[in-house]
């Protein structure tokens, strides 16, 4: 579960802090866009639920649902150079 939390933090950093679009985050991390959505959900998980996930008492798939929808950063998005 710790790997999932680390991946969620990295996805959140790229998307929310650096402004990359979800497709670009997916490309940078080598993940599908759906996985990125789930990781972004986990990045917003309530602290108590995050503790349960890290301890292995909460399955990542259930944590995705409990975390709620993904929000997007500002409308200005950074894109990868092609």
């Amino acid at each position: 579960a710790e790997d999932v939390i680390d991946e969620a933090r990295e996805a959140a950093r790229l998307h929310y802090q650096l402004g990359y679009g979800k497709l670009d985050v997916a490309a940078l991390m080598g993940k599908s866009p759906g996985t990125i959505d789930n990781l972004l959900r986990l990045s917003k998980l309530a602290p108590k639920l995050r503790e349960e996930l890290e301890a292995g008492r909460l399955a990542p798939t259930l944590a995705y649902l409990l975390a709620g929808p993904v929000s997007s950063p500002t409308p200005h998005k950074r894109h990868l150079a092609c």
Side-chain angles (χ1 to χ4, degrees):
E2 228 173 275
D3 290 342
V4 173
I5 295 293
D6 290 340
E7 287 181 339
R9 286 185 182 124
E10 180 62 10
R13 184 184 75 79
L14 292 168
H15 186 60
Y16 297 118
Q17 293 177 4
L18 298 179
Y20 284 101
K22 292 176 191 174
L23 293 177
D24 291 331
V25 174
L28 286 167
M29 294 184 68
K31 306 281 182 191
S32 72
T35 297
I36 296 304
D37 278 340
N38 285 334
L39 291 173
L40 291 174
R41 283 185 185 91
L42 288 185
S43 74
K44 300 293 185 178
L45 199 60
K48 179 65 178 161
L49 293 174
R50 184 173 301 137
E51 288 174 18
E52 295 296 310
L53 178 63
E54 288 174 343
R57 293 184 295 265
L58 178 64
T61 51
L62 182 55
Y64 301 145
L65 296 173
L66 294 172
V70 177
S71 60
S72 291
T74 61
H76 307 287
K77 292 186 179 177
R78 179 181 283 176
H79 296 283
L80 292 176
C82 294

